[in-house]
Amino acid sequence: MSFNIAIDGPAGAGKSTIAKRAAKELSFIYVDTGAMYRSIALGLLRRQTDISDETALLHALEEIEVSIGYEDGEQQVYLNGENVSGLIRTEEVSAMASRSSAIPQVRHKLTDLQRNLAAKENVLMDGRDIGTMILPDAQLKIYLTASVQTRARRRFLEQTEKGMSCSLEEIEKDIEERDYRDMHRETAPLCQAEDAVLVDSSEMTIQDVVDRITALARERM
Ligand code: DC
């Protein structure tokens, strides 16, 4: 039987960096489910689908195929066979992913893909509803969070390093709003599974968090 680790939490808590590193240390396959939602979002944007029109949305979803593969140990995501891994991190795609991932039909499309991967392999899967909906029997569940102030500071540093001008206050407001939306949406809202271990990374380094997760996994394997 495969061993599954679910990591959920809000945006900006360092999930993907930490998950990627922890998976490598444990020789697990890392599955970034956010990338799958982003690929569907890209497909919808390319088709200029009006996602508030259910018929149009269903039609577009029928034509959109998402799959994942690995190159040099890195997850690649394919949209109808095209590797779109380098095209899904734009603001436009983020905004569409945030809106479209709240729609049940969009989530439904990815459920089997995610569960099938976890059934076959030892995976460390990160997302928003992995421990609560996708892998309720995961052997280890982590809810990774950090204070709004910490997450805002991290994003502020990231953006200023890239030479982008931004305001810390605006970023904080943006994070608060996004948290509220993610936690209050009707379908698969972000919440901590009852049996998840809460890890607050506000005062921890990335390696501290990785060490904590790998230690918990090794205890249970
Ligand atoms: O983690 P991320 O920023 O790459 O996620 C992109 C979007 O997809 C984000 O709006 C949250 C959503 N998402 C989701 O609803 N469920 C998941 N399991 C993963 C991501």
Side-chain angles (χ1 to χ4, degrees):
M1 205 178 113
S2 59
F3 190 99
N4 295 159
I5 303 173
I7 303 189
D8 294 298
K15 266 196 327 278
S16 58
T17 310
I18 286 161
K20 215 180 275 179
R21 210 186 275 187
K24 195 164 182 198
E25 289 191 12
L26 292 166
S27 302
F28 274 38
I29 289 181
Y30 168 53
V31 183
D32 170 5
T33 62
M36 300 177 184
Y37 285 98
R38 288 172 179 272
S39 302
I40 292 190
L42 179 64
L44 294 169
L45 284 168
R46 282 180 171 176
R47 283 175 175 71
Q48 299 182 314
T49 308
D50 172 4
I51 62 169
S52 60
D53 174 348
E54 197 180 341
T55 311
L57 174 71
L58 291 179
H59 182 69
L61 288 178
E62 269 175 26
E63 292 183 347
I64 290 176
E65 277 310 322
V66 173
S67 56
I68 69 164
Y70 291 85
E71 272 176 28
D72 300 327
E74 287 274 318
Q75 178 183 302
Q76 309 293 318
V77 63
Y78 301 89
L79 175 62
N80 297 92
E82 173 192 351
N83 188 339
V84 292
S85 310
L87 304 175
I88 55 172
R89 305 280 161 199
T90 64
E91 275 307 311
E92 197 189 12
V93 172
S94 297
M96 181 51 119
S98 169
R99 286 174 60 215
S100 56
S101 64
I103 302 173
Q105 291 90 335
V106 171
R107 307 201 69 83
H108 183 72
K109 200 171 166 72
L110 294 176
T111 305
D112 287 347
L113 174 63
Q114 293 168 358
R115 288 192 180 141
N116 290 341
L117 283 164
K120 280 192 256 163
E121 313 267 4
N122 289 345
V123 296
L124 189 158
M125 192 175 284
D126 88 8
R128 303 292 191 283
D129 63 337
I130 309 305
T132 49
M133 309 278 293
I134 302 294
L135 306 176
D137 297 325
Q139 287 87 343
L140 175 62
K141 298 179 187 175
I142 305 286
Y143 189 80
L144 182 62
T145 187
S147 68
V148 170
Q149 290 72 19
T150 303
R151 286 185 282 145
R153 216 170 36 244
R154 287 177 188 161
R155 196 182 323 155
F156 178 80
L157 287 175
E158 249 171 46
Q159 300 199 344
T160 44
E161 270 169 22
K162 282 188 206 155
M164 291 156 73
S165 74
C166 53
S167 123
L168 189 59
E169 259 171 39
E170 258 173 42
I171 294 179
E172 268 185 29
K173 200 166 135 258
D174 189 53
I175 288 178
E176 270 168 358
E177 283 171 7
R178 193 148 145 195
D179 281 358
Y180 186 88
R181 261 203 321 272
D182 284 353
M183 290 172 188
H184 292 84
R185 68 184 181 196
E186 232 167 80
T187 312
L190 171 65
C191 71
Q192 185 182 339
E194 261 177 36
D195 51 351
V197 179
L198 175 68
V199 178
D200 184 327
S201 74
S202 305
E203 305 295 330
M204 294 168 86
T205 65
I206 288 174
Q207 194 57 43
D208 287 341
V209 182
V210 172
D211 291 346
R212 173 120 170 82
I213 293 171
T214 53
L216 284 166
R218 290 191 174 112
E219 269 170 27
R220 296 182 190 197
M221 259 149 60

